[in-house]
Amino acid sequence: MAQRTFSIIKPDAVSKGHAGAILAEIEKAGFKLVSIRKQTISKQQAQGFYHVHAARPFFNDLCEFMSSGPIFLMVLEKENAIADLRKLMGATNPANAEEGTIRKMFAESIQANAIHGSDAEDTAAFEIAYWFAGYELL
Ligand code: CMP
């Protein structure tokens, strides 16, 4: 059965002009784009989105970074979407990402790592509902 996941093309990749190439990799891998929106988010919106990381030392820098410029917010759909997108993205730290993954190709650093993808069904449900209204997901 088709599954949905949430993804972000992060400010580093958008500012370097990699958004189209990343979308092409995602579509080539069989994901359907259910919804997509370009937006510059506030630091407060980033803090709410990343609330599970609030106690981490990198939390403030991460929220500053995510609100530093336009991003693409996306809902993607395919069989096994959550795990398959994580595999396509590669390791969080691009230094550890495998050849052919989006982070290997486009990420700069562990923070400016080009793309986000939900890590489980419950986080995907939270993240989709955080950014998109039901009528945008038909
Ligand atoms: P993301 O998949 O969006 O989920 C949380 C983000 O925190 C992660 O990608 C990175 O951008 C960032 N992150 C994770 N670990 C670190 C770290 N050790 N130092 C800085 N940023 C990190």
Side-chain angles (χ1 to χ4, degrees):
M1 211 184 78
Q3 184 183 54
R4 287 182 175 184
T5 191
F6 174 76
S7 183
I8 297 177
I9 303 177
K10 296 190 178 185
D12 56 306
V14 177
S15 66
K16 287 193 291 186
H18 294 319
I22 291 173
L23 278 173
E25 292 295 326
I26 289 170
E27 288 197 313
K28 224 188 316 173
F31 291 87
K32 176 183 157 203
L33 268 171
V34 177
S35 208
I36 181 163
R37 181 168 77 242
K38 189 180 190 189
Q39 187 172 336
T40 301
I41 66 171
S42 68
K43 187 173 176 185
Q44 193 180 25
Q45 285 174 316
Q47 287 167 336
F49 175 67
Y50 279 123
H51 72 278
V52 294
H53 297 302
R56 304 286 195 93
F58 58 80
F59 181 65
N60 188 60
D61 281 355
L62 174 64
C63 294
E64 291 272 359
F65 166 66
M66 290 300 289
S67 56
S68 66
I71 61 178
F72 284 89
L73 307 165
M74 304 179 282
V75 178
L76 307 173
E77 186 175 277
K78 82 186 278 289
E79 296 260 328
N80 209 28
I82 296 170
D84 285 0
L85 183 65
R86 302 278 297 179
K87 202 165 158 201
L88 179 64
M89 293 190 317
T92 304
N93 185 346
N96 303 325
E98 283 181 37
E99 282 305 326
T101 62
I102 289 172
R103 284 171 171 157
K104 179 71 178 183
M105 289 187 271
F106 301 111
E108 280 174 24
S109 67
I110 194 167
Q111 177 176 269
N113 63 356
I115 186 165
H116 165 84
S118 308
D119 63 2
E121 277 187 35
D122 57 343
T123 45
F126 165 77
E127 293 177 357
I128 290 169
Y130 189 81
W131 295 111
F132 288 94
Y135 70 86
E136 296 174 294
L137 300 169
L138 299 174

